[in-house]
Amino acid sequence: MSERGLNHDGTIAREGALDRVPAAFTPVVEATSTHITERFDSARLHSAYIYGSIPRGTATPEVSDLDLQLALHHEPTETDLADAKAIEAALDRAFPQIDGVGILLTSTRALLSDLERHDAGFFIACLCTPLLGADLAERLPRYRPTALLARETNGDLALALQRWHTRAAEAATDADRQTLSRVVARRIVRTGFTLIMPRWGGWTSDLNESAELFGRYYPERFDQMLIAAATGRTPSADTAVLSMLIDDLGSWLAAEYTVVHGEKTPRP
């Protein structure tokens, strides 16, 4: 893999691997496999994946969260959601080295669909590490850092801003604001990176590197993006920070993204 996260043929390399999991998180991953297989049999589960800092090898004990994607043979049901919540709670309770657990549930039909080819499909093929079952990446294309990929991954920031405005207004506690600031900041940084990704010609999921690369092309917004990267790592309950991320940087970024890459294909 090159320093720009690419394979030798110029396609984006898969960024994680089970052999990169830090030792402190090895028992977490092992327990995760056990819990998933106990809750989801082969009639329901096609495959399971881990993503984020743990398979990238950059996780920090007591700070990093555990992120999982389950690919189901069918559309997620209320039973599936309940079982996923139970797994999240059990793992979070058992392992102090993780700060929360999040499980995404998606059907294989959606993940392999033409509509999701450059969004959820890219996510599976390049950002997710196989944990259980047959790897769906074998049924997906190789991806390059193109404007199409940029548009389909993050060309809907304006819709997210609307949701965040509502959540910010409803946030009643510091914990609520910290949770929201983490979500907002990470999405802002990643959108800032994919804005410049085709020009830079590579891929990274590292928040600091993403902010630094963004700053090469938009130096006037660099300081704000650095704050976003810092907030993505250490959430803030400061309403001024949330307002800057959503109303100022986020609003500008959504407009610039539309000009440069266009809007993401509408979902049903």
Side-chain angles (χ1 to χ4, degrees), residues 41 43 46 49-50 102 134 151 169 177 185 214 223 243 245 251 261:
D41 61 26
H46 175 276
Y49 307 81
I50 183 171
R151 185 181 75 237
R177 286 181 281 274
F214 169 87
D223 288 345
S243 179
L245 291 174
S251 180
H261 296 305

Side-chain angles (χ1 to χ4, degrees), residues 64-224:
S64 298
D65 53 357
L66 173 65
D67 298 309
L68 303 165
Q69 167 76 67
L70 303 190
L72 305 179
H73 289 296
H74 53 253
E75 298 303 320
T77 65
E78 290 300 321
T79 298
D80 297 325
L81 293 170
D83 284 341
K85 289 294 183 185
I87 293 172
E88 290 174 347
L91 291 171
D92 197 27
R93 185 169 56 248
F95 296 100
Q97 59 266 56
I98 52 175
D99 182 21
V101 183
I103 300 178
L104 301 176
L105 298 175
T106 316
S107 70
T108 55
R109 179 203 60 78
L111 293 170
L112 297 173
S113 68
D114 289 341
L115 183 63
E116 294 294 341
R117 183 59 52 87
H118 288 84
D119 189 9
F122 165 73
F123 174 66
I124 285 288
C126 296
L127 308 188
C128 286
T129 297
L131 185 62
L132 296 167
D135 185 7
L136 285 174
E138 296 176 2
R139 299 162 62 182
L140 291 161
R142 306 295 289 272
Y143 295 89
R144 297 178 184 274
T146 62
L148 172 61
L149 183 63
R151 185 181 75 237
E152 291 303 304
T153 51
N154 286 305
D156 59 347
L157 181 61
L159 297 178
L161 290 174
Q162 295 173 16
R163 297 192 298 270
W164 296 339
H165 273 294
T166 301
R167 287 184 60 183
E170 295 174 348
T173 67
D174 282 351
D176 291 339
R177 286 181 281 274
Q178 286 178 323
T179 298
L180 178 58
S181 73
R182 186 179 193 179
V183 171
V184 171
R186 290 185 175 190
R187 176 67 186 278
I188 290 288
V189 175
R190 287 165 182 158
T191 302
F193 168 71
T194 52
L195 172 64
I196 60 88
M197 173 188 66
R199 282 176 276 179
W200 181 61
W203 179 267
T204 181
S205 287
D206 182 86
L207 294 178
N208 284 342
E209 184 178 21
S210 295
E212 293 287 344
L213 291 168
F214 169 87
R216 296 182 188 178
Y217 300 86
Y218 294 95
E220 71 279 8
R221 293 280 178 172
F222 182 43
D223 288 345
Q224 289 182 320

Side-chain angles (χ1 to χ4, degrees), residues 230-243:
T231 305
R233 296 189 309 274
T234 306
S236 172
D238 189 339
T239 56
V241 171
L242 260 180
S243 179

